[in-house]
Amino acid sequence: MLQRLHIKNYALIDQLDISFHPGFSVITGETGAGKSIILGAIGLLLGERADTKHIKPGANRCIVEAEFNLTDDGMDEFFTTNGLDFDGHECIIRRELSATGKSRSFINDTPVSVASLKDLGSKLVDIHSQHQNLLVNDRKFQLSILDTVAGNRNLLSEYQSLYITYRDTCQRLTAFEQAAKQREQNNDYINFQLNELTEAQLRSGELEKLEEEAQMLNNAGTIKESLYLADRLLASEKGGALTRINDCIRTLQNITSVFAKATPLTERLDSCAIEIDDIEHEISSYTDSVNFDPDRQAKVNERIDTLNTLLSKYHQETVDDLIALRDKLQGEVQMLADSDDTLLKLRQQRDKLKAEATDLAHRLSQTRHDTVAKVEASMLTKLHSLGMPNIRFEVQLEQLPELSPLGLDKATFLFSANKDIPLQDIASIGSGGEIARVMLSLKALLSTGQSTRTLIFDEIDTGVSGRIAEQMALMMKDISNAGHQVISITHLPQIAAQGEHHYLVYKAENDGRTATFIRELTPEERVAEIAHMLSGAQVTQAAMDNARALLHL
């Protein structure tokens, strides 16, 4: 139940704080006073599209906040699923819109997405506005009437969950069949590529090693000559570096007994001699190993050419990339080999899911067929009470050729308001008054099978007046007596008089600017407001007396 509404800087509203009551409430006011503005603010709160034009001129942001009492409304699952705090009683939802266009949403002070806000809002408030009359054209809405009256919530949820799995499996199967067909068409080319890369016997890091070896083979003479010369410079008995260092060591050793500082110098030279001797042996071994081998040179260059050709052909950077491509092609070949088995399993899974979903769809269909008579009788009773004595109303159920998100049924509501007019699709109703009465009757029917929530009727009384308006008000009151909070925005005194609580929307000057306000009326103020609705600008005593009569005062 909506307990409190706070609006700040929305359109013509500076700041508004209003408390609401259980039961049946009405909102009245002059045309253009701002009733639609308040409704728009509530719509924004419930997740409708945000637009910066909603922000009051000169303000940086607007805020809409509402407090709901959800005691015993069975909403715990939503809060648990979405990880939101909930004490089992109160829920506060808030929407903020900045002048920059940024929108923020909160549930119990926790930031949430607009989708989550909309999901919760749809469970808390049902707003019936003029455009919602178009629901009579909506087959999904018509089918939902049958499901609500039949109590199909759990069965429908089970079916829809299974249907989604079935649909996803069908999509996977179709995608796999298309991919398998494409792979089969490319099979010869893929196998050619795989064979070429496999026969190449690719090894990671091979190209870098071959290029290094090629450098050596292509310059073998120069390398061998340089190594030989370096070896001679180090190891020659006549003037070689090693010979001279050893001579230097012996010379310094002759003075170590009389010059102590010579000892560490000889030790350091000795270390140098050992290192140079080691280097000389390594150079010598390299000199022996470097030889010009034209056969090996040809093989190395041929292998380098082969690898570079493959890199260019397959648009790869490294041999490792070629190896990865080879493995990928191998996987595709294996997948094609396994595709028949995979296709068989997917088809079996699809058929199994279809059979299970079809079984649930037939169970849904049976409950809907069983409910048709109840819906027809209830609608006839309600519409008779709303001044349509010759009404005929029938529900036509047809079976669809394939499973749909709602099962195997197509529902069509047939309607005729006059004896001499044949039954026709309810979508063809042309009279605004007839549409209003049909929609109110459908909403009343829906309310019997829905959880407790707030219903807001925005001028559902369009096209009716007098006794019919009073009957519509009594029907809305019956909905409230069934446990729903009902708020009706109306221009008709007959409906306004039936409300247990009455709110007036009006415009007034505030700091030199026109602003919209709302307040709850006292009993005497209600008399004056309803008299004003009856007689217009000039309120007569007769209108006052009539207003008191309508209010049973």
Side-chain angles (χ1 to χ4, degrees):
M1 183 193 80
L2 176 62
Q3 294 189 132
R4 181 183 61 83
L5 179 65
H6 169 76
I7 304 173
K8 184 176 182 180
N9 295 331
Y10 183 88
L12 294 179
I13 297 174
D14 287 324
Q15 182 159 313
L16 180 152
D17 287 281
I18 190 73
S19 296
F20 289 94
H21 306 275
F24 181 34
S25 299
V26 295
I27 298 177
T28 64
E30 296 283 356
T31 299
K35 299 186 294 298
S36 61
I37 293 176
I38 294 174
L39 200 61
I42 295 175
L44 181 69
L45 184 67
L46 301 179
E48 290 185 5
R49 182 177 176 272
D51 194 322
T52 54
K53 69 181 182 182
H54 293 143
I55 301 175
K56 186 176 179 64
N60 293 323
R61 64 172 181 166
C62 71
I63 300 173
V64 186
E65 181 178 283
E67 179 182 322
F68 291 85
N69 185 331
L70 304 184
T71 304
D72 300 326
D73 280 0
M75 295 291 294
D76 299 64
E77 182 180 351
F78 173 86
F79 291 93
T80 301
T81 301
N82 290 276
L84 298 169
D85 292 333
F86 181 52
D87 64 2
H89 302 289
E90 291 188 347
C91 169
I92 297 175
I93 59 177
R94 185 170 79 255
R95 186 93 180 267
E96 299 179 1
L97 176 62
S98 70
T100 61
K102 183 178 180 181
S103 170
R104 298 196 301 167
S105 306
F106 302 85
I107 298 176
N108 287 342
D109 286 330
T110 300
V112 296
S113 66
V114 175
S116 295
L117 191 71
K118 196 167 188 176
D119 185 18
L120 177 60
S122 68
K123 296 175 171 60
L124 299 180
V125 180
D126 178 6
I127 299 179
H128 178 90
S129 55
Q130 288 295 308
H131 76 273
Q132 206 180 30
N133 287 332
L134 297 175
L135 283 174
V136 296
N137 303 333
D138 189 343
R139 304 300 181 197
K140 181 178 178 181
F141 173 72
Q142 294 179 21
L143 207 54
S144 73
I145 299 289
L146 296 175
D147 285 328
T148 299
V149 176
N152 280 343
R153 179 180 177 182
N154 292 335
L155 182 60
L156 182 60
S157 177
E158 183 182 357
Y159 167 78
Q160 289 178 325
S161 177
L162 189 60
Y163 174 79
I164 290 172
T165 305
Y166 162 68
R167 183 195 61 196
D168 291 347
T169 301
C170 289
Q171 291 173 347
R172 284 174 53 213
L173 175 59
T174 300
F176 193 87
E177 286 175 333
Q178 292 173 346
K181 184 178 180 180
Q182 186 65 39
R183 283 194 297 270
E184 190 172 358
Q185 291 174 346
N186 297 333
N187 189 43
D188 290 343
Y189 182 57
I190 291 173
N191 274 304
F192 168 77
Q193 291 179 310
L194 178 61
N195 289 335
E196 185 174 43
L197 292 174
T198 301
E199 289 173 0
Q201 297 182 339
L202 302 168
R203 296 183 297 276
S204 179
E206 177 186 11
L207 183 58
E208 292 77 7
K209 293 178 181 178
L210 287 172
E211 288 174 339
E212 184 180 344
E213 185 178 358
Q215 284 276 59
M216 183 192 73
L217 290 169
N218 293 337
N219 297 277
T222 302
I223 294 171
K224 193 174 185 71
E225 182 180 344
S226 296
L227 289 172
Y228 179 79
L229 179 59
D231 183 53
R232 291 300 86 208
L233 289 172
L234 290 176
S236 175
E237 293 182 359
K238 295 182 179 180
L242 190 57
T243 299
R244 292 190 176 209
I245 289 174
N246 286 327
D247 289 344
C248 185
I249 291 172
R250 285 192 294 272
T251 300
L252 289 174
Q253 284 176 339
N254 291 332
I255 61 172
T256 54
S257 60
V258 294
F259 185 65
K261 291 182 179 180
T263 299
L265 293 174
T266 59
E267 291 174 351
R268 290 167 64 188
L269 285 169
D270 191 51
S271 296
C272 290
I274 294 172
E275 179 67 16
I276 289 174
D277 185 58
D278 184 63
I279 292 172
E280 185 275 328
H281 280 89
E282 193 167 341
I283 290 175
S284 181
S285 67
Y286 288 156
T287 304
D288 295 337
S289 65
V290 174
N291 293 295
F292 178 66
D293 185 345
D295 290 338
R296 177 59 184 168
Q297 184 183 40
K299 289 179 180 179
V300 168
N301 288 332
E302 182 182 358
R303 181 62 174 173
I304 290 174
D305 289 342
T306 298
L307 293 176
N308 282 326
T309 299
L310 290 173
L311 288 170
S312 176
K313 180 177 181 178
Y314 291 102
H315 307 290
Q316 304 298 319
E317 295 290 332
T318 67
V319 173
D320 284 347
D321 293 336
L322 287 174
I323 292 171
L325 176 60
R326 179 199 66 195
D327 293 344
K328 178 186 176 185
L329 293 172
Q330 181 65 54
E332 290 187 20
V333 170
Q334 186 61 46
M335 187 179 296
L336 183 61
D338 295 340
S339 62
D340 288 344
D341 184 52
T342 303
L343 282 171
L344 177 62
K345 289 179 180 178
L346 280 173
R347 285 168 181 156
Q348 289 174 338
Q349 184 181 7
R350 175 202 60 189
D351 294 344
K352 179 175 180 291
L353 288 168
K354 183 177 182 180
E356 292 174 355
T358 301
D359 179 63
L360 284 177
H362 283 310
R363 288 167 58 188
L364 274 171
S365 294
Q366 187 59 54
T367 62
R368 289 163 178 166
H369 280 282
D370 293 344
T371 304
V372 165
K374 183 178 179 180
V375 169
E376 291 174 342
S378 178
M379 286 296 291
L380 288 173
T381 299
K382 294 181 188 304
L383 290 169
H384 282 158
S385 71
L386 295 179
M388 303 177 78
N390 298 316
I391 184 71
R392 283 177 292 154
F393 182 90
E394 291 184 12
V395 178
Q396 184 181 80
L397 275 178
E398 300 174 63
Q399 183 169 317
L400 298 172
E402 296 292 339
L403 293 170
S404 77
L406 295 174
L408 279 168
D409 300 307
K410 172 187 175 183
T412 303
F413 288 180
L414 302 176
F415 172 89
S416 175
N418 303 294
K419 290 180 180 180
D420 56 340
I421 301 297
L423 283 165
Q424 53 188 322
D425 193 330
I426 198 170
S428 63
I429 297 177
S431 165
E434 288 176 354
I435 293 177
R437 281 176 277 182
V438 168
M439 282 305 299
L440 178 58
S441 298
L442 290 173
K443 290 285 185 177
L445 189 58
L446 277 174
S447 68
T448 61
Q450 291 178 332
S451 59
T452 303
R453 60 176 176 175
T454 299
L455 282 81
I456 300 177
F457 293 100
D458 180 22
E459 299 184 7
I460 197 171
D461 47 38
T462 298
V464 300
S465 59
R467 189 183 66 84
I468 304 305
E470 182 180 7
Q471 290 300 314
M472 292 182 77
L474 292 173
M475 189 172 288
M476 285 187 272
K477 184 175 285 188
D478 286 342
I479 295 174
S480 71
N481 290 336
H484 296 273
Q485 180 189 39
V486 178
I487 300 172
S488 176
I489 299 172
T490 182
H491 285 296
L492 297 181
Q494 293 87 352
I495 290 180
Q498 293 296 329
E500 298 167 89
H501 306 277
H502 192 154
Y503 298 85
L504 177 66
V505 176
Y506 60 98
K507 284 182 179 177
E509 292 293 323
N510 183 28
D511 294 331
R513 296 178 300 174
T514 301
T516 291
F517 300 90
I518 184 172
R519 62 186 176 86
E520 185 174 0
L521 300 180
T522 65
E524 280 305 310
E525 287 174 331
R526 286 194 72 183
V527 173
E529 170 63 10
I530 292 175
H532 175 66
M533 295 172 73
L534 286 165
S535 63
Q538 189 67 35
V539 177
T540 64
Q541 185 59 47
M544 293 290 286
D545 293 340
N546 195 2
R548 287 192 173 89
L550 285 174
L551 291 166
H552 304 289
L553 296 177

